Amino acid sequence: MTIKTYLQQLQKLLPNTWIEQIQYIHSSLLFRCILFLGSKPLTFSHKSTMVFSPHQDDETFGCGGMIANKREHGIQVVVVFLTNGQGAGGSQLNSHDKIIQIRKQEALTALEFLGVEPSKIHFLDKHDGHLQKLNHQERKETIEQVMYLIEFYQPQEIYVPHKKDCHQDHEATYELVKVAIAQAGITVDLLQYPIWLFWRSPLFILLKLQDIAAAYSLSITLVQEKKQQAIAAYSSQLESLPRGFINRFLGDYEIYFKAKS
Ligand SMILES: [Zn+2]
């Protein structure tokens, strides 16, 4: 069974409420509008890269094509997961500890499809769902951990979730990494990847013209199959995410928004 067939079969099993159908149409329209009317093509760069991902799957959904593309050219890609992923949906039979282990293993498998070595994958294991609620000390420690990794790897590009991604952990990841970059004092290209932005937000209210002007599209046709395999590796998440939401990430383009670092 091919990966695509597997995903299609899986999706037939999932509920498809009218709300999800509306969200799917809405997010598809917004994605296409940005892609074909509002974005500039992102030229392939040989810059070394770090991807900061709040949960085990965001890096693959948002940046899987970019990661596979860079790894095929032998360019360093480091992936850092901020939370342990224990808040995920999926089978109720699993304990929190079990969910954490499952998601870590899925992340390693997904990133293997994309060509990232385990030594370049870091788990900061923060409590899932609490990145915006860290107390002063926890926030300071998290920023220092991120800063240490940035200083260690000296990336030329950093990818973070969009600052208005309609999810607390995602927006907090953007903020924490941005502060760490400033404290590290390095110059780096900062690119934001949208995960929930198109699905949850009334985009034209949330996004200002200057946000849309910073949109870039990356063609990932050559590595699309690798990305689909990596997405399929996250089987615990595919059970619980809306099928229209997953569909958007199976296509041949990724969208990024450049930010000022
Ligand atoms: Zn997430």
Side-chain angles (χ1 to χ4, degrees):
M1 191 190 298
T2 67
I3 298 298
K4 211 165 187 177
T5 316
Y6 167 76
L7 288 170
Q8 280 165 353
Q9 292 214 344
L10 179 65
Q11 285 167 11
K12 276 182 200 155
L13 302 172
L14 297 172
N16 190 17
T17 64
W18 62 271
I19 293 177
E20 283 179 9
Q21 285 180 11
I22 290 171
Q23 278 179 304
Y24 178 60
I25 294 165
H26 174 253
S27 69
S28 300
L29 276 174
L30 294 176
F31 181 78
R32 278 159 205 271
C33 275
I34 300 258
L35 182 62
F36 296 115
L37 303 175
S39 68
K40 298 180 266 297
L42 187 66
T43 45
F44 179 76
S45 91
H46 282 75
K47 292 179 176 177
S48 63
T49 295
M50 284 182 85
V51 178
F52 287 89
S53 180
H55 310 104
Q56 292 75 11
D57 65 5
D58 296 313
E59 83 298 341
T60 292
F61 282 137
C63 312
M66 178 279 294
I67 294 172
N69 219 342
K70 290 223 178 205
R71 290 304 301 138
E72 282 192 355
H73 288 81
I75 301 160
Q76 176 171 276
V77 178
V78 175
V79 178
V80 182
F81 294 101
L82 275 87
T83 79
N84 58 17
Q86 74 166 34
S91 173
Q92 299 300 313
L93 297 172
N94 291 321
S95 68
H96 281 167
D97 284 350
K98 182 87 176 149
I99 291 169
I100 292 169
Q101 287 314 312
I102 289 171
R103 294 195 77 179
K104 269 191 185 167
Q105 192 49 55
E106 287 175 346
L108 293 170
T109 307
L111 288 169
E112 193 179 349
F113 281 121
L114 301 178
V116 182
E117 312 100 304
S119 63
K120 299 289 187 294
I121 304 168
H122 297 269
F123 297 94
L124 300 189
D125 287 321
K126 305 296 165 193
H127 203 60
D128 191 355
H130 285 66
L131 287 184
Q132 273 191 353
K133 300 169 198 154
L134 299 176
N135 65 34
H136 179 73
Q137 188 57 27
E138 290 166 336
R139 183 177 153 81
K140 189 166 165 275
E141 277 170 17
T142 307
I143 290 168
E144 280 171 2
Q145 283 178 302
V146 171
M147 197 172 75
Y148 169 80
L149 288 167
I150 290 172
E151 284 175 341
F152 182 80
Y153 286 109
Q154 296 283 321
Q156 296 162 299
E157 275 180 358
I158 289 182
Y159 289 75
V160 284
H162 196 278
K163 64 183 172 187
K164 298 176 181 172
D165 205 36
C166 304
H167 186 301
Q168 288 194 356
D169 279 344
H170 290 213
E171 294 175 11
T173 298
Y174 172 89
E175 289 298 332
L176 292 164
V177 174
K178 195 142 183 270
V179 173
I181 292 171
Q183 289 188 11
I186 64 161
T187 307
V188 66
D189 294 343
L190 186 62
L191 292 108
Q192 307 166 85
Y193 56 89
I195 298 292
W196 291 103
L197 181 64
F198 298 143
W199 187 257
R200 287 184 175 162
S201 77
L203 191 70
F204 293 117
I205 297 171
L206 257 181
L207 280 187
K208 296 180 184 143
L209 270 179
Q210 65 260 37
D211 293 322
I212 296 171
Y216 287 80
S217 57
L218 179 69
S219 168
I220 59 162
T221 312
L222 296 176
V223 289
Q224 198 177 351
E225 207 173 309
K226 281 189 180 179
K227 180 173 179 177
Q228 289 174 355
Q229 286 176 315
I231 288 175
Y234 281 112
S235 51
S236 74
Q237 299 312 293
L238 300 182
E239 285 172 17
S240 56
L241 289 166
R243 68 191 204 190
F245 170 83
I246 296 167
N247 265 337
R248 183 178 78 70
F249 299 104
L250 301 175
D252 52 2
Y253 278 96
E254 287 173 353
I255 284 184
Y256 297 100
F257 295 83
K258 283 195 180 177
K260 289 186 182 124
S261 62

